[in-house]
Amino acid sequence: MPPTMAQISDPKIAFAYLRPACVLLTREPTVTNVDTLSSQLKEVNDATLQQLQDYVLFPLRFVLKVPGPKKDKLVQAVAEAISYVLENTCVQSWETLHDLLSELCLCLCSPTDLGKPADTSEELQSAVLRCLTALLHAAYGDIVFKLFEPIMLPGLGATVSLLLALAEKTKSRDIQVSALKCLQALTLQCDCDQDHVVPTSEERCLVGSIVASFLPGITVTVARIITGDLRQGHGVTVRAIKVWSRTVGLVLDDAQLQDAESNKTPSTELGRIGQLVVHRTKDWVKNTAVKLCVLLKKIIACTSAHQHWRVRLEMVELDDHLLDRCSQSLKQCVGPLLEALVGAVNDEEPRVRERCEVTLRAVSQRNQSCSSRGDKSSTAQTFTDVLSENLHSLATSLPRLMRTSDDQKKLFVLNVFLGYIKLLGPLVSVVLNSAAHLERISKALMQVLDLDVMDVRIVEERSYAATIETTPGSADSCFARTQRKHFLYFTDEKIFSVLMEICRTLGYYGNLYLLTDHFLDLYQQSSSYRKQAAMVLNEIVRGAAAIDVVTEGQSLTGQVRGHSVNQEDLTAAVASVMEEYISLKNWHLITVSEETERDRQDQQLLSPSRLLSISNSDFSNSDSNCLQVISSKINSPCTSTSTSTIHQLNSNIWQLCIQLEGIACFAQTLGRDFRPLLMTSLYPVLEKAGEETLLVSQAALGSMWDLSRACGYSSLKELINENSDYLLNDISLNLQRLSQHPQAPRVLTVMLTHSDCSLLPLVGDIVQDVLMALDLSYDHTAALFCSVLHALMKALARWFPSSCGRTTESAQSKKSSGHEEVFDIRQFILDYSKQKELAEGIGIEEDASVEDLEAPAPTECEEDAEDIYGPDVKPELPPHLSITKDVMERCIHLLSDPSLRVRLKVLDVLELCVCVLSEKENELLPMAHRCWPPLLQRLTADDPLAVLRAFRVLCTLGDTCGDFLRRRVSKEVLPKLSSSLTRQAPISAKAGPVYTHTLAYKLQLAVLQGLGSLCQRLDLGEADLDAVREACLPYLSSRQPIRVQEASVSVFRHLIQVDPDALWFTLNELHCPTSYVPPHPDLQPVQLSGMGRPRDEYSDNVLKLLQEEFGSVAEAVDQPGLANEPVIDVTD
Amino acid sequence: MSRPAPTPIYTLRGAGGPLNTLHFSCHGGDTPLLYSASGKGAIHIWNLNTRRAERIVEGHSGNSIIWVSTLQAAHTLISQGRDMQVCLWDLSEGRSEVVDSVWTGSVGFCQCSVLETSPGNQLLAFAGQQTEEIKIIELPSKTPVCTLVPDAKVGMVMCIKLWQPDSGPGPLLLAGYEDGSLLLWDVTQRSELSRAKAHPEPVMCLTFDPERLRGISGSSEKTLSSWILDRQNNLQLQDDVTLVNAGVSQLCIRGDGKLLASAGWDHRVRVFGWKKLKPLAVLQYHTDMMLSVAFSDHQDPRQRLLAAGSKDQRVSLWSIYNEGADTG
């Protein structure tokens, strides 16, 4: 309808306008004619249309009335036209209403059965349903109630069953919804926005008594729809619930029933129809209520956990409506209704929650007013009594329900339980005072919270100092992975969160002392309850501090939390629980099986990736290497431990994790007031942070972060630094009782890892204790202390970064500059001739004098420096250096420890000592001197692994005191090594595949792997380099084991860095892939002994080296530097 | 079943010097405090709840402090240093200032003794300028009460103890001297009541139980010697206790009169039953000579700690023989 066109308001004009179309339609009932009429109808205004209603409706109804089959399209068009008319006018005559109703029903139903829908198109059905709804809305108040006279029962019944059939059987959701809407309109319960007839109570009674006849049909069918297909749209379910609740509410209205009893009218004149009339007697009500109760329970079960919140909201509406209207007649249903309502208190959808709270408040008010009136009926008991009764009975059945039901049911039951607790508020403590009920509740919690401890990975995963140390600053990485708990009896995460909320709410309202006592009892009672009890305790304490408790206005009793737990009580409770947690028997649990422990060590030592680490001689890379080892380790299968012990270990691990979480929780509840408790709790937490089991150490680290946040520290470092006195006190004490407290060194390790040099003064005190404890028990605890010393030195190296590694840098810069420099042939030849003259003895004195002048300069400087303090009095060493010296002293002894593991660790410690001490050469050199003999042993006569580490130490030493070392290495180390290499070369070349498993092979490999970097670091003289080169050359042979070849290639790579020319020559002597054509015919052709040689065993490696280190072989010809090499050869 | 050797429940670190003297103050205020004085002139006030130094007071211009105590109100601290001064401190409301000082003139190590005569009035006894002289003054007026000098040569005053007997009219004073003798003085009469030769070596320390009228003294040798006062105020020597190692720095009897603790030069604290002097425990933790012991005066018997200060700059706190308490 175009809005610009004015509607016809004059009835006469309208009549004239519409008449032709009406006449035409009567004569020729076609779709076109109907359309014409309906388009014309739209041009007539409502008042006029009302006057012409009968006239207009006549041709349309005539079309419907014409006997014989009609086209769906035509009926649909007619229905739409009628709908339009009815939507804009009122029906004033009973006949019209009655006839139209039956005519429209006839359009829908099948010709044979009035109660069944015909097989018509969905569009038609939808149009007719719309028309019906419009008709019912259009009916005047004075005629509509005629529908509900007993005489109308059969017709009405047919309509009702027709609508029900449509609502149930049709596929289309729209039709289902509109059929249900229509049904609602038919029972005068419509809730759309249009105006409705407001019935008086008598009229309501009339309607109610008639609808009572259809009640069984409607409730059963609609219940079927509600509980039917889960996939049906929520719209249908919502509508169906509405119909159900409205219908039941109408028929079993308490108010009506009271009246109905008084003026029961026996109707005799109805004849057979009279049998259809239902008299709502007491018995009838009772029977009906029983049946409805069954249906209601079904509906509740099906919808209370429905996925769509609108459905749940509608359920709350239903509860509200029925509790409001029919609490007397549906006494049996009050329980389930309340339960459903309570279950919705914790709905995740706030709109549902709000509605629910409003309802509950209304319910409680009604009941209160009820009871205040002094009714004698059972509802007179106050609402809270009902609730606590329900809570009691639920608590009784809780263990069984937890055992038997599925996840969804559990979730619902727990939600209801939580709802009761929230509603009862402070009254909960009354329920809890009953020992039997507390017992039940706790049993149920213990049962359902049983953890699944089957996962083997948890036991297997290991943390390493390296992993912890790489992340001291970043908090996020610590939280990146908190292990999810797996439970035996449920999988849904929601259940867990509801359970935790239950615990918190119990803690919030209940008596904290009673609860902690009870659950601590359980904790102590049996190891099988311990983990669950700890979980519950953690949450109870949190709840008591009102953390994560949502309670605003949910308590119905109108009281706020009667007692608020004061900080003192909370602290006392926390202290007692924590004391239990960290008591020896609950804290020092075995999490690592002895067997796997040993496996691990062996594996770690023999892990091939460890061997790689030497090739990265830059020690800052050692972390990443450690990580490699870890990753290779974790994947290794563990076969030896029996499953039962794994379960035990697993359970221990979880218990520790939960207790660690608990400590974090407690800190959170107490905030800064937790600080005094750090005295007792920080040490145990740190102890676990140093634990090898990954899960435990992660949990501990997590709690450390929580602790630091709760106590107002900005970082772990601050937490540890501020409380270092507490920690060190325990450490120092426990170091004296190592047999009982072997974890003390571990705590120190963690402390050092996370702290900074401000800790040094206090640590200095402790280090003396450590060293003393070590001195007292070398044999037992050396391994343990090595890790402490290692951590200590690592920390010192971090806190006082020295100039270690400067020579590496300078060497590298030298190397790079060498490459970039533009080669000047003239200068080269000049230099060369000068060198040659020198070699022949010309001008040697002159040069020597220069060297003499240069050499003493630095020593003089140092003497000066010493003079400042006077010759006798040595200045006091800075604490970190004196500690380092003390540690190094111990290393000297430990270097020859019988255990390989200890020796390896000591070598690491030694390396760090050298690094730290490097800033004070005066201190370092004597120590290095003292270390030398045992170190030499490691280098020349030890396990390959130790050899490798020793090489690394040697390299580091070479960085800082090269001169001191060079002579010793060239005198004592190199001859031995090179001779053994030379001796071994022919053997390994000929050996079979078994050879790679021999010690000789490993030793060979280790030496070759370390030798290169050593040579480079020490800046060895030419003679030594020659010796090394000679010794390694045989290993370039392709007959050697492949890894030996690789190692040897690596030696050559390092040597090339030191002296590229000589090496180039050596390699080319072995094998020269190209011939060098002199740029000028005057120059002699280049002759290298490797030229033109056929491919032999050395070719591959030589070619590889030449290519990698000197650029591509083909280009070599063009390089001026290399092109000049032959000059040397020529002059020879 | 033999119980594991007891360990200190806590160690207070950071005093930065040998701990010459300790004094508990657990009555006033809510936090129990422990005062310690170091050889480097610092008085640490340890909060026993947090176990941290609440305040550090520097005084006596860096000289060693040999004695601290508090006067009835915990806020008044009295300290004696090797700079021959006894200082009175006002510590209330975060202040730490010397309100008064007394020049003693003594170069020895004899610790003062203080006795409360009436609320707000105390008697202070200290070794005087002359080797054998003991001076007693009244606080806070600083009026000299008397000077006690023995007739015979007994050497330097080593330790003194002032107390008020239940029966007698005036306070009495016990003093140990360099030659090993003990003298009992009547302060009001300024007369020597009795004497006994308790040790062949100098008396290093003594303590006295006014209820049982029984005392004990230690010396640089291996024996502790106990003695009683009879009705006529005569000193009578009783049993000796022989120690394993020689030398005792300090002796202390617990407030309930059940325990006696000794600070030994052998790095150990020994605990005895006071009644029969039965050796009960050896507390081993420190790495240097013990200089001081003190028992807490806490109202709750379970929180009555024993504190021991050592030359190794640490104070160890022990919870021993206080029924029901955690022995740590």
Side-chain angles (χ1 to χ4, degrees):
Chain A
M1 179 174 63
T4 47
M5 195 188 282
Q7 286 187 319
I8 302 163
S9 53
D10 187 345
K12 283 179 187 157
I13 301 171
F15 179 72
Y17 178 62
L18 292 174
R19 202 177 147 237
C22 288
V23 173
L24 188 64
L25 180 60
T26 323
R27 239 183 277 145
E28 285 175 46
T30 59
V31 179
T32 337
N33 291 342
V34 178
D35 285 348
T36 319
L37 180 59
S38 53
S39 65
Q40 284 180 353
L41 283 176
K42 283 171 187 150
E43 284 160 37
V44 179
N45 82 348
D46 291 352
T48 318
L49 196 58
Q50 179 70 55
Q51 291 188 15
L52 297 174
Q53 190 195 46
D54 281 340
Y55 182 77
V56 173
L57 283 180
F58 175 76
L60 294 167
R61 287 170 58 187
F62 184 74
V63 176
L64 298 179
K65 269 194 277 193
V66 171
K70 288 163 290 254
K71 282 185 192 157
D72 281 1
K73 284 271 178 205
L74 180 63
V75 181
Q76 184 191 340
V78 169
E80 275 161 7
I82 297 176
S83 303
Y84 176 77
V85 175
L86 292 178
E87 273 161 14
N88 293 296
T89 59
C90 300
V91 178
Q92 286 154 325
S93 94
W94 162 241
E95 278 75 29
T96 316
L97 174 65
H98 180 247
D99 294 352
L100 257 178
L101 188 64
S102 48
E103 282 156 17
L104 287 171
C105 286
L106 279 173
C107 293
L108 282 176
C109 66
S110 70
T112 49
D113 187 350
L114 292 181
K116 290 254 173 67
D119 189 19
T120 46
S121 73
E122 290 185 353
E123 289 80 9
L124 172 66
Q125 288 175 343
S126 142
V128 175
L129 284 172
R130 181 179 147 215
C131 195
L132 267 176
T133 316
L135 174 68
L136 290 166
H137 278 96
Y140 254 40
D142 47 355
I143 59 161
V144 79
F145 293 104
K146 283 198 175 179
L147 271 179
F148 299 100
E149 279 167 6
I151 197 79
M152 285 301 297
L153 267 175
L156 214 51
T159 314
V160 167
S161 51
L162 182 65
L163 289 172
L164 284 175
L166 274 174
E168 193 186 2
K169 299 277 158 48
T170 328
K171 295 267 181 342
S172 156
R173 288 178 191 175
D174 292 336
I175 293 175
Q176 283 181 299
V177 172
S178 26
L180 287 169
K181 261 189 189 154
C182 197
L183 194 59
Q184 241 182 308
L186 190 63
T187 51
L188 298 186
Q189 298 288 325
C190 190
D191 59 346
C192 64
D193 335 314
Q194 295 175 44
D195 292 333
H196 295 101
V197 178
V198 183
T200 63
S201 64
E202 276 163 40
E203 284 161 348
R204 276 186 66 84
C205 197
L206 181 68
V207 177
S209 60
I210 291 302
V211 177
S213 305
F214 313 130
L215 189 70
I218 294 177
T219 49
V220 171
T221 317
V222 173
R224 248 193 334 255
I225 296 172
I226 296 169
T227 59
D229 191 359
L230 280 175
R231 281 162 303 170
Q232 77 190 355
H234 67 269
V236 179
T237 316
V238 168
R239 184 56 64 181
I241 295 172
K242 204 165 268 173
V243 170
W244 204 93
S245 76
R246 293 306 165 118
T247 314
V248 173
L250 174 69
V251 177
L252 292 174
D253 191 349
D254 288 339
Q256 282 189 39
L257 290 176
Q258 275 176 346
D259 298 343
E261 270 177 79
S262 56
N263 51 15
K264 213 190 307 176
T265 47
S267 48
T268 44
E269 69 278 18
L270 288 170
R272 275 184 59 210
I273 292 173
Q275 294 170 5
L276 294 175
V277 178
V278 166
H279 298 294
R280 292 184 279 177
T281 58
K282 263 188 180 168
D283 286 343
W284 179 85
V285 170
K286 211 189 233 170
N287 291 333
T288 314
V290 172
K291 286 168 196 158
L292 284 178
C293 199
V294 176
L295 286 178
L296 186 67
K297 277 179 185 160
K298 265 192 202 159
I299 293 173
I300 288 172
C302 192
T303 52
S304 52
H306 199 278
Q307 283 174 339
H308 203 284
W309 65 271
R310 279 185 193 281
V311 174
R312 300 195 299 268
L313 181 63
E314 194 53 47
M315 273 314 285
V316 176
E317 298 276 2
L318 176 139
D319 294 335
D320 183 27
H321 189 75
L322 294 187
L323 283 172
D324 184 21
R325 293 288 189 84
C326 324
S327 54
Q328 301 278 335
S329 49
L330 288 177
K331 257 177 237 156
Q332 294 99 320
C333 298
V334 171
L337 283 172
L338 263 182
E339 195 175 282
L341 210 49
V342 170
V345 167
N346 308 302
D347 201 279
E348 51 197 23
E349 174 62 41
R351 279 168 281 197
V352 178
R353 261 194 330 256
E354 275 161 32
R355 182 72 186 85
C356 185
E357 280 158 26
V358 171
T359 309
L360 280 169
R361 211 161 295 134
V363 171
S364 79
Q365 267 168 14
R366 271 201 298 276
N367 278 288
Q368 267 162 12
S369 57
C370 232
S371 63
S372 63
R373 278 208 310 272
D375 282 357
K376 286 185 197 110
S377 55
S378 60
T379 45
Q381 63 186 146
T382 58
F383 183 50
T384 51
D385 287 344
V386 180
L387 285 178
S388 22
E389 204 166 277
N390 280 4
L391 181 58
H392 271 103
S393 61
L394 186 56
T396 314
S397 57
L398 203 55
R400 185 179 50 79
L401 287 170
M402 289 299 106
R403 222 171 26 242
T404 53
S405 45
D406 63 352
D407 269 16
Q408 189 137 33
K409 173 82 174 160
K410 267 181 206 156
L411 184 58
F412 177 66
V413 169
L414 290 172
N415 257 324
V416 172
F417 189 68
L418 178 55
Y420 284 133
I421 297 174
K422 281 188 176 173
L423 291 179
L424 280 173
L427 295 178
V428 166
S429 52
V430 179
V431 178
L432 295 180
N433 274 340
S434 145
H437 284 96
L438 183 56
E439 187 66 20
R440 292 266 180 176
I441 292 169
S442 55
K443 272 277 151 59
L445 286 174
M446 294 299 108
Q447 244 168 35
V448 77
L449 279 172
D450 207 355
L451 275 171
D452 181 9
V453 290
M454 303 286 275
D455 196 351
V456 178
R457 272 178 313 166
I458 288 170
V459 183
E460 279 295 287
E461 280 178 315
R462 292 275 169 276
S463 67
Y464 286 83
T467 41
I468 302 172
E469 279 165 40
T470 48
T471 58
S474 55
D476 305 333
S477 57
C478 302
F479 301 113
R481 226 201 63 173
T482 35
Q483 185 78 27
R484 225 177 68 106
K485 296 185 184 72
H486 295 280
F487 296 91
L488 271 181
Y489 297 113
F490 63 91
T491 50
D492 196 346
E493 195 73 350
K494 273 189 214 156
I495 296 187
F496 181 60
S497 55
V498 172
L499 280 168
M500 292 298 103
E501 200 181 344
I502 288 178
C503 297
R504 283 196 295 272
T505 317
L506 281 178
Y508 184 75
Y509 288 119
N511 180 339
L512 185 60
Y513 281 114
L514 176 74
L515 286 169
T516 46
D517 271 4
H518 179 80
F519 284 99
L520 262 182
D521 267 357
L522 277 176
Y523 178 91
Q524 288 156 343
Q525 230 170 57
S526 139
S527 64
S528 59
Y529 288 156
R530 203 158 289 155
K531 296 184 288 296
Q532 298 94 303
M535 267 187 265
V536 172
L537 277 169
N538 295 349
E539 293 304 317
I540 284 178
V541 170
R542 265 157 64 99
I547 293 171
D548 282 351
V549 186
V550 192
T551 46
E552 320 88 55
Q554 289 199 342
S555 164
L556 278 181
T557 47
Q559 310 166 24
V560 266
R561 197 174 171 206
H563 64 292
S564 78
V565 174
N566 64 19
Q567 201 71 2
E568 221 166 278
D569 290 346
L570 204 56
T571 313
V574 161
S576 68
V577 174
M578 208 163 61
E579 192 184 332
E580 192 62 37
Y581 279 2
I582 58 180
S583 68
L584 279 181
K585 65 175 189 296
N586 294 322
W587 195 253
H588 290 163
L589 302 170
I590 306 163
T591 58
V592 181
S593 78
E594 298 294 321
E595 214 161 336
T596 49
E597 169 77 336
R598 215 173 304 125
D599 283 353
R600 189 182 64 74
Q601 284 170 10
D602 294 348
Q603 235 162 352
Q604 198 182 348
L605 295 180
L606 300 174
S607 156
S609 58
R610 181 62 83 180
L611 295 174
L612 290 174
S613 53
I614 192 104
S615 59
N616 294 327
S617 45
D618 186 4
F619 71 90
S620 67
N621 274 358
S622 58
D623 273 354
S624 61
N625 276 318
C626 292
L627 289 175
Q628 273 180 347
V629 180
I630 298 158
S631 57
S632 70
K633 165 69 195 94
I634 288 171
N635 299 332
S636 67
C638 157
T639 48
S640 49
T641 37
S642 69
T643 41
S644 66
T645 50
I646 284 189
H647 287 181
Q648 191 51 50
L649 294 176
N650 205 330
S651 151
N652 285 348
I653 290 172
W654 274 121
Q655 193 189 326
L656 286 176
C657 288
I658 292 164
Q659 287 171 183
L660 283 164
E661 280 167 19
I663 293 178
C665 280
F666 302 155
Q668 203 189 352
T669 55
L670 291 182
R672 273 170 190 266
D673 288 343
F674 193 77
R675 281 188 177 191
L677 290 171
L678 284 176
M679 220 183 300
T680 48
S681 61
L682 192 57
Y683 178 87
V685 173
L686 249 65
E687 193 174 285
K688 292 301 160 197
E691 178 103 5
E692 281 173 317
T693 310
L694 181 66
L695 201 58
V696 175
S697 66
Q698 271 182 342
L701 217 54
S703 348
M704 273 163 73
W705 275 105
D706 289 347
L707 285 181
S708 66
R709 230 165 304 150
C711 299
Y713 300 113
S714 63
S715 64
L716 288 191
K717 195 172 84 182
E718 202 182 323
L719 172 75
I720 290 176
N721 281 359
E722 295 280 307
N723 297 291
S724 51
D725 49 347
Y726 295 158
L727 287 169
L728 287 173
N729 174 59
D730 286 331
I731 293 173
S732 117
L733 210 59
N734 289 340
L735 278 175
Q736 295 186 359
R737 307 177 289 176
L738 261 184
S739 50
Q740 293 120 292
H741 301 271
Q743 302 85 357
R746 207 188 272 162
V747 179
L748 187 58
T749 311
V750 175
M751 241 182 109
L752 291 169
T753 316
H754 290 284
S755 168
D756 66 4
C757 57
S758 61
L759 208 59
L760 196 65
L762 272 174
V763 166
D765 197 24
I766 282 298
V767 168
Q768 294 312 320
D769 285 353
V770 171
L771 293 177
M772 200 166 74
L774 172 65
D775 289 345
L776 288 175
S777 56
Y778 263 112
D779 37 352
H780 305 302
T781 49
L784 205 58
F785 279 109
C786 277
S787 55
V788 182
L789 295 183
H790 191 231
L792 174 69
M793 290 319 301
K794 221 166 175 176
L796 285 181
R798 191 156 45 92
W799 297 342
F800 304 96
S802 70
S803 48
C804 217
R806 62 199 154 166
T807 40
T808 340
E809 280 162 27
S810 65
Q812 274 169 355
S813 66
K814 206 200 284 171
K815 173 188 151 193
S816 59
S817 68
H819 273 290
E820 282 159 18
E821 210 176 322
V822 179
F823 202 87
D824 184 352
I825 299 179
R826 187 168 164 275
Q827 189 57 45
F828 179 83
I829 295 184
L830 280 177
D831 285 351
Y832 176 73
S833 73
K834 194 178 175 191
Q835 291 287 324
K836 207 174 168 196
E837 277 173 15
L838 271 176
E840 283 159 11
I842 305 163
I844 196 156
E845 285 161 24
E846 193 186 327
D847 214 66
S849 63
V850 174
E851 264 178 35
D852 280 343
L853 281 177
E854 279 169 3
T859 47
E860 257 178 306
C861 277
E862 273 177 28
E863 274 167 23
D864 284 349
E866 261 175 38
D867 281 343
I868 296 170
Y869 302 101
D872 296 330
V873 186
K874 273 197 170 178
E876 204 173 311
L877 274 181
H880 69 278
L881 291 184
S882 66
I883 290 174
T884 310
K885 249 182 91 177
D886 286 340
V887 171
M888 206 158 164
E889 191 90 28
R890 293 344 188 258
C891 286
I892 296 169
H893 301 294
L894 288 170
L895 265 179
S896 10
D897 193 275
S899 149
L900 173 64
R901 191 159 171 255
V902 171
R903 289 203 303 272
L904 291 176
K905 203 84 185 176
V906 169
L907 283 168
D908 285 345
V909 176
L910 193 63
E911 189 186 340
L912 289 166
C913 287
V914 170
C915 244
V916 174
L917 219 52
S918 63
E919 70 183 70
K920 211 63 171 190
E921 204 174 30
N922 280 353
E923 301 294 335
L924 176 61
L925 291 185
M927 291 312 291
H929 173 75
R930 294 183 53 196
C931 281
W932 183 251
L935 187 61
L936 188 64
Q937 284 297 306
R938 304 286 79 73
L939 272 171
T940 51
D942 203 343
D943 191 277
L945 287 165
V947 171
L948 265 182
R949 297 278 177 104
F951 263 112
R952 217 158 70 183
V953 177
L954 208 57
C955 292
T956 317
L957 261 176
D959 278 345
T960 48
C961 41
D963 299 325
F964 167 79
L965 216 59
R966 200 172 302 131
R967 214 171 315 127
R968 293 184 181 227
V969 168
S970 74
K971 228 196 275 173
E972 296 174 55
V973 183
L974 284 182
K976 277 189 192 174
L977 292 182
S978 48
S979 73
S980 83
L981 279 178
T982 319
R983 202 165 352 102
Q984 204 63 25
I987 300 171
S988 62
K990 271 179 267 170
V994 194
Y995 182 68
T996 53
H997 295 284
T998 62
L999 194 65
Y1001 166 77
K1002 284 174 184 159
L1003 211 56
Q1004 231 172 359
L1005 192 61
V1007 171
L1008 282 172
Q1009 280 171 335
L1011 204 51
S1013 60
L1014 181 69
C1015 290
Q1016 196 184 351
R1017 295 286 185 92
L1018 285 186
D1019 215 2
L1020 288 177
E1022 217 165 289
D1024 293 324
L1025 288 182
D1026 278 348
V1028 171
R1029 200 178 56 205
E1030 284 303 318
C1032 292
L1033 215 49
Y1035 290 95
L1036 285 179
S1037 161
S1038 56
R1039 297 205 181 109
Q1040 297 285 351
I1042 185 74
R1043 295 195 57 196
V1044 173
Q1045 284 182 50
E1046 281 167 12
S1048 146
V1049 167
S1050 84
V1051 175
F1052 276 90
R1053 274 193 200 117
H1054 285 289
L1055 291 179
I1056 287 168
Q1057 307 280 334
V1058 181
D1059 189 359
D1061 294 344
L1063 263 295
W1064 182 88
F1065 185 62
T1066 313
L1067 291 174
N1068 273 311
E1069 285 281 288
L1070 261 182
H1071 182 88
C1072 179
T1074 47
S1075 56
Y1076 295 95
V1077 183
H1080 195 274
D1082 288 352
L1083 294 167
Q1084 289 184 22
V1086 179
Q1087 280 302 323
L1088 292 166
S1089 57
M1091 272 180 171
R1093 229 186 244 183
R1095 286 181 68 83
D1096 60 8
E1097 49 187 306
Y1098 297 107
S1099 318
D1100 284 350
N1101 285 322
V1102 171
L1103 278 178
K1104 193 166 136 199
L1105 276 169
L1106 284 175
Q1107 192 142 9
E1108 280 173 10
E1109 300 296 321
F1110 298 100
S1112 87
V1113 180
E1115 281 170 7
V1117 187
D1118 303 331
Q1119 276 188 7
L1122 293 174
N1124 269 289
E1125 290 282 356
V1127 179
I1128 310 164
D1129 194 41
V1130 173
T1131 45
D1132 272 351
Chain B
M1 194 184 91
S2 75
R3 286 162 59 185
T7 52
I9 59 161
Y10 200 78
T11 317
L12 304 171
R13 287 154 208 275
L19 290 147
N20 289 331
T21 178
L22 296 167
H23 174 76
F24 276 100
S25 169
C26 304
H27 278 313
D30 357 75
T31 43
L33 299 174
L34 172 69
Y35 295 82
S36 79
S38 79
K40 296 216 168 143
I43 299 169
H44 285 69
I45 303 171
W46 305 93
N47 179 334
L48 291 176
N49 285 342
T50 63
R51 295 175 182 171
R52 284 180 177 152
E54 205 173 63
R55 265 157 88 191
I56 300 168
V57 180
E58 307 263 356
H60 298 277
S61 46
N63 282 299
S64 177
I65 299 175
I66 56 172
W67 180 73
V68 280
S69 185
T70 47
L71 298 182
Q72 99 274 22
H75 290 308
T76 313
L77 177 74
I78 179 163
S79 72
Q80 178 194 15
R82 300 279 331 275
D83 59 351
M84 303 188 223
Q85 298 279 349
V86 173
C87 296
L88 284 153
W89 302 78
D90 179 11
L91 295 182
S92 58
E93 291 158 11
R95 281 191 289 264
S96 56
E97 55 206 33
V98 179
V99 288
D100 208 345
S101 67
V102 180
W103 186 80
T104 62
S106 159
V107 292
F109 291 86
C110 179
Q111 298 183 330
C112 300
S113 180
V114 72
L115 175 71
E116 188 122 13
T117 46
S118 62
N121 285 308
Q122 299 90 19
L123 286 180
L124 177 73
F126 54 86
Q129 196 173 7
Q130 307 303 317
T131 43
E132 297 175 352
E133 143 189 276
I134 298 167
K135 282 185 173 169
I136 296 173
I137 60 166
E138 207 172 65
L139 288 178
S141 61
K142 296 208 280 179
T143 332
V145 176
C146 61
T147 303
L148 307 170
V149 184
D151 314 327
K153 279 254 172 238
V154 285
M156 197 190 262
V157 187
M158 300 301 288
C159 45
I160 48 180
K161 169 86 180 169
L162 201 57
W163 98 97
Q164 174 72 49
D166 293 335
S167 51
L172 301 179
L173 178 99
L174 269 165
Y177 292 87
E178 200 178 354
D179 73 342
S181 49
L182 288 169
L183 267 68
L184 179 68
W185 294 89
D186 186 329
V187 174
T188 35
Q189 306 293 320
R190 293 164 205 197
S191 62
E192 182 186 323
L193 294 176
S194 72
R195 69 163 67 202
K197 175 90 172 152
H199 299 276
E201 299 284 323
V203 183
M204 297 307 294
C205 51
L206 65 83
T207 186
F208 184 74
D209 177 1
E211 263 174 50
R212 293 191 175 79
L213 295 179
R214 179 156 167 253
I216 190 161
S217 58
S219 167
S220 57
E221 19 110 75
K222 281 188 183 181
T223 45
L224 298 178
S225 135
S226 76
W227 26 267
I228 55 163
L229 287 186
D230 63 13
R231 285 162 202 278
Q232 288 77 42
N233 278 339
N234 284 322
L235 274 171
Q236 290 182 349
L237 291 180
Q238 280 197 320
D239 320 328
D240 279 358
V241 183
T242 310
L243 305 172
V244 183
N245 299 305
V248 181
S249 305
Q250 206 169 34
L251 289 163
C252 186
I253 299 170
R254 191 159 79 179
D256 60 3
K258 284 184 180 164
L259 286 185
L260 167 77
S262 73
W265 294 1
D266 57 353
H267 312 179
R268 291 178 180 114
V269 173
R270 290 190 155 75
V271 181
F272 302 89
W274 174 229
K275 218 169 169 185
K276 295 180 178 167
L277 292 177
K278 182 182 159 199
L280 296 176
V282 179
L283 308 180
Q284 190 168 3
Y285 170 79
H286 289 277
T287 54
D288 210 335
M289 181 170 158
M290 301 308 299
L291 295 178
S292 49
V293 283
F295 279 107
S296 158
D297 55 346
H298 203 282
Q299 277 150 326
D300 180 359
R302 281 175 307 164
Q303 294 199 41
R304 274 185 201 150
L305 302 175
L306 166 69
S310 160
K311 212 174 162 185
D312 67 4
Q313 314 190 352
R314 298 178 192 175
V315 179
S316 54
L317 298 175
W318 308 75
S319 173
I320 47 165
Y321 297 106
N322 36 8
E323 56 277 82
D326 180 18
T327 46

